Amino acid sequence: MITSWRNQGNQRRYDSSVLRRVAVIKTGQQLGLSLEEIKHALSSLPLNRAPSQEEWEQMGKNWKEILDQKIWLMTKLRDELGECIGCGCLSMSRCRLRNPQDTLADTLGNGATLWKSE
Ligand code: FES
């Protein structure tokens, strides 16, 4: 996610723009983004010059979409946690907490519904 170069004494050196990238990485982590998500966002920015205002804004929009999705998922999990309190089954076929990525559960039911229908 960052680049460096070495001087004649073999000491690693960083361009001043790297400080900004490190700040972006730390901010992304504070927002709960994974390093992979941050890396993906940084890949859209130039490595050897400061990003333009438009480039920062586009990256910010992409992060907002990711954060909106995470907030939606966490809110959904919080609201459905009530079913799990006192249960403890953590079943892949029926537990929303254990299987939060089951996006077809709302329309087809919990579990491997596509596999069942084949
Ligand atoms: S722990 Fe049983 S449904 Fe979630």
Side-chain angles (χ1 to χ4, degrees):
M1 288 192 265
I2 60 174
T3 59
S4 64
W5 52 276
R6 295 199 178 260
N7 65 11
Q8 289 182 335
N10 201 29
Q11 294 173 320
R12 189 173 290 146
R13 296 291 186 225
Y14 299 93
D15 187 74
S16 61
S17 65
V18 171
L19 290 176
R20 181 74 174 196
R21 292 177 78 89
V22 170
V24 169
I25 292 167
K26 297 303 291 179
T27 302
Q29 287 181 309
Q30 288 173 341
L31 291 172
L33 299 176
S34 70
L35 285 176
E36 201 57 42
E37 290 166 330
I38 296 168
K39 183 179 178 182
H40 179 72
L42 287 176
S43 70
S44 67
L45 299 179
L47 254 181
N48 45 9
R49 67 167 171 80
S52 68
Q53 185 66 31
E54 292 78 29
E55 289 167 330
W56 281 122
E57 285 177 7
Q58 185 57 49
M59 193 192 80
K61 285 179 188 172
N62 293 342
W63 278 15
K64 183 180 182 309
E65 289 175 16
I66 293 170
L67 290 172
D68 285 346
Q69 178 68 20
K70 287 180 185 281
I71 289 168
W72 173 82
L73 181 61
M74 294 305 291
T75 302
K76 189 172 179 241
L77 283 173
R78 181 204 60 204
D79 293 347
E80 294 171 351
L81 183 62
E83 297 173 21
C84 295
I85 294 174
C87 176
C89 71
L90 296 176
S91 165
M92 280 297 286
S93 64
R94 70 182 198 103
C95 180
R96 293 287 183 101
L97 193 60
R98 174 76 169 100
N99 193 10
Q101 305 298 328
D102 190 356
T103 56
L104 295 177
D106 291 336
T107 53
L108 299 176
N110 295 322
T113 52
L114 293 179
W115 179 75
K116 288 176 191 171
S117 65
E118 289 179 10

